[in-house]
Amino acid sequence: MQTVVDSKIHDLETVKEACFWFTSDYLIDIQTSGDKYTLSFSLKEGAHDTKDIAGEFNNALIETSIRRRLRKETEPIRNTILACTLSHFINTPAAAPKNGNGAE
Amino acid sequence: METVPSSQGFKSADSFAPKGYAPMPFNFKRLDDGRFVLGNLSGDFATLTDTEFHLFVDGKLPVSSATYRMLHSKCFLTDDSGDWPVRLAASKLATRLERNSELTSLFIFVVTLRCNCSCQYCQVSRQSADRLSFDMSEATAEQAVGLVFSSPCPCIKIEFQGGETLLNFELIKRITNLVEARNKTAVRNVEFVVATNLIEISDEQLTFLHEHSFYVSTSLDGPASLHDMNRPVIGLSSHDAAERNIARVRAALGNDHVSALLTVTRSSLDKPREIVAEYQRQGFHEIFLRAISPFGYAKRSVGRTGYSTDAYIEFFKLGLREIIETNKRGYFMAESATALMLGRIFTPQNEGFVNLQNPAGDGMMCMVFNYDGGVYLSDEGRMLAENGDYTFRLGNVGKCTFRDLLTSDKLTEIVDDTMLEGTVGCHACPYQTLCGADPVYHYATQGRWIGNRATSSFCKRQTAKIEHVLKLLENPEDKAVLMTWLH
């Protein structure tokens, strides 16, 4: 099965991320040509065949692009949360392992 | 006295409404029924319809809606009413990470590989009961105890594993006394656990275990026919022996000092009801519907005992249904993996279950001292070694300090590789806080400890179990039962 993706709508990283979960059942080949990516899906031996692979992949593309947009938009808040989290550990007693065998 | 009309002197309710909102970081996944499940850093979850999801991510969710309030309270969005969702998310994340910062708390001593049982699924090579060369030496035990007290963790669990541990009971006594003597100055909260098949246990052994407040972990695979087939012993029924000795342990140590572990084999798959009934009959209030491990020696018997991931998932669902119905009939019984999951869904606590940590808890939270002095980062890691694969061996008790072991290139590489945020597939998964990396499982099944989640049976199993439990929580009657399992 082949499907074509317009590179003006989805960049290559989004296409590759969307492909990931399909690699459990398919071997996927990506070819670029002009403004298009052509994806070929070949079912692996003994794998589960998705009935509407093109439709499922299109949904995965849309969800991946939302995911990537949100990841970018929420990065400052993520960094604030992580900084705030790590600050909890700055003034707590150091948990560094003691040197030597059996030191208390 | 003059009264002030309610409309005077106050701003309108609308003036307090937020002017807009910003989504906070979260992962999401589309479920089979078209809804979306969201999970975030604070460990909160939400399920949205397709319409709600797209309104939310497009910044168009009405601020007056119940969905808005729910997402706000669960740290999925922040607005101009204050930065408390950010601080709350950080506080919950810090609580969850606190366990990791305490470092190693579980120390497993493999006191012998000798065994009197020939279990079909045994993960370690079965050495006959008279081959003393597979016993841990006193010198090795003393060096290992030294390493235990180098850990900064305030809570230490010493677990004795085998083989059949009670065949080397003198060493268990020696280690216990050594630990208690050291702890007079180290002052840690120490707990002892002994894993035993309970084929034989003497009154003297029971007295010692009682005096040192031991917990006993044994095996129970179900009714006699199933247990005896899985765990054959020449000349007797291992089920009868275990049942008789479970009762003796309870009488000597107390009801809550003995627990049983189930291993699901192919023969178990059509018997979830019988297995749950057997646990109830023997008075257990917790059962762990645990899949067989494809490690070490057990790999050789997969043809006889193994099964597909789909078959296990079906068994898990049937077993969990039977357990819930048992509770509804008035007998309290929790399923261990589900209870752990519920604890993480409804509280920010990290119970420290080694196989479900992010990054991997192997080595960081657990350390295994094998009978020959080899130090491994998990029990599964030493099981691989019994088959000649020493990938997860960190060093030797006599040659390494605790710092050497924890800062070894191998362990730091594994920790680095197993942070779910950086693992392809896990990086976008909403279930990160309910899951873990399990590098030994992925190494054993896929050849690389980092693993490939697209083809991982661990990932498939975990995802199915989590989504099943989340679905059960939508049923008020099932939820009422499940909430009683929260520790």
Side-chain angles (χ1 to χ4, degrees), chain B residues 26-40:
Chain B
F26 68 93
N27 288 329
F28 66 87
K29 183 189 173 200
R30 185 160 47 96
L31 298 171
D32 289 342
D33 62 10
R35 294 181 302 162
F36 286 83
V37 62
L38 285 60
N40 60 14

Side-chain angles (χ1 to χ4, degrees), chain B residues 35 50 62 67 112 161 216 233 263 301 326 354:
Chain B
R35 294 181 302 162
D50 183 78
T67 305
T112 182
Q161 283 278 2
V216 172
V233 179
T263 299
S301 61
T326 299
V354 175

Side-chain angles (χ1 to χ4, degrees), chain B residues 319-451:
Chain B
L320 193 53
R321 170 51 52 202
E322 187 58 30
I323 297 166
I324 289 171
E325 295 307 316
T326 299
N327 280 268
K328 287 180 183 173
R329 290 192 292 268
Y331 184 86
F332 177 84
M333 187 189 288
E335 198 283 318
S336 306
T338 307
L340 179 152
M341 216 184 288
L342 294 167
R344 292 190 184 187
I345 291 170
F346 292 104
T347 79
Q349 302 297 331
N350 177 354
E351 74 303 310
F353 186 68
V354 175
N355 294 346
L356 292 178
Q357 294 298 323
N358 171 25
D362 309 64
M364 293 285 284
M365 288 184 171
C366 168
M367 203 171 274
V368 180
F369 306 122
N370 207 3
Y371 71 97
D372 60 0
V375 183
Y376 294 83
L377 46 69
S378 74
D379 207 21
E380 291 82 359
R382 71 108 181 174
M383 289 165 186
L384 281 182
E386 299 306 335
N387 235 17
D389 186 337
Y390 298 93
T391 302
F392 296 101
R393 184 180 166 118
L394 295 176
N396 188 286
V397 291
K399 295 175 183 162
C400 303
T401 65
F402 187 73
R403 181 187 287 272
D404 292 338
L405 295 167
L406 249 69
T407 57
S408 64
D409 288 346
K410 187 174 287 180
L411 186 55
T412 48
E413 190 181 342
I414 289 171
V415 169
D416 195 31
D417 281 349
T418 57
M419 297 188 80
L420 299 186
E421 295 82 355
T423 304
V424 180
C426 297
H427 74 290
C429 180
Y431 309 130
Q432 274 182 13
T433 55
L434 305 181
C435 203
D438 207 339
V440 185
Y441 184 93
H442 284 104
Y443 176 83
T445 56
Q446 297 188 320
R448 294 170 67 225
W449 62 58
I450 195 166

Side-chain angles (χ1 to χ4, degrees), chain B residues 52-192:
Chain B
E52 288 170 333
F53 176 78
H54 285 100
L55 283 172
F56 172 50
V57 299
D58 290 341
K60 294 174 182 168
L61 194 66
V63 296
S64 58
S65 66
T67 305
Y68 184 99
R69 289 194 295 275
M70 181 270 288
L71 292 174
H72 196 197
S73 71
K74 291 186 171 182
C75 306
F76 284 102
L77 65 85
T78 183
D79 60 25
D80 54 15
S81 66
D83 67 350
W84 62 263
V86 174
R87 286 185 284 117
L88 179 59
S91 180
K92 285 182 165 185
L93 181 57
T95 303
R96 206 164 56 245
L97 292 177
E98 208 167 302
R99 188 73 177 242
N100 304 56
S101 74
E102 292 174 353
L103 299 181
T104 319
S105 60
L106 172 61
F107 293 92
I108 295 176
F109 286 71
V110 182
V111 290
T112 182
L113 281 193
R114 287 184 290 142
C115 195
N116 48 9
C117 204
S118 306
C119 304
Q120 291 198 23
Y121 46 69
C122 184
Q123 295 155 345
V124 291
S125 54
R126 296 177 283 271
Q127 305 299 336
S128 62
D130 57 354
R131 295 186 66 179
L132 297 179
S133 56
F134 293 96
D135 282 4
M136 180 182 275
S137 70
E138 271 202 30
T140 297
E142 284 170 18
Q143 287 165 327
V145 169
L147 288 170
V148 168
F149 284 97
S150 296
S151 168
C153 192
C155 297
I156 302 285
K157 184 187 273 189
I158 306 287
E159 186 173 309
F160 296 103
Q161 283 278 2
E164 168 48 32
T165 52
L166 299 186
L167 293 176
N168 195 8
F169 197 70
E170 284 308 307
L171 191 69
I172 291 178
K173 285 164 65 176
R174 174 81 182 128
I175 293 169
T176 304
N177 290 330
L178 268 175
V179 167
E180 290 188 341
R182 291 290 296 266
N183 202 38
K184 282 180 182 160
T185 50
V187 198
R188 310 292 175 85
N189 188 355
V190 177
E191 185 179 296
F192 295 104

Side-chain angles (χ1 to χ4, degrees), chain B residues 214-234:
Chain B
F214 264 74
Y215 288 85
V216 172
S217 172
T218 192
S219 294
L220 181 61
D221 284 356
S225 57
L226 181 58
H227 187 95
D228 287 341
M229 181 171 65
N230 284 346
R231 308 178 62 83
V233 179
I234 296 169

Side-chain angles (χ1 to χ4, degrees), chain B residues 293-311:
Chain B
S293 301
F295 300 122
Y297 205 73
K299 218 170 180 176
R300 302 177 190 182
S301 61
V302 163
R304 274 176 291 138
T305 58
Y307 39 80
S308 70
T309 305
D310 286 335

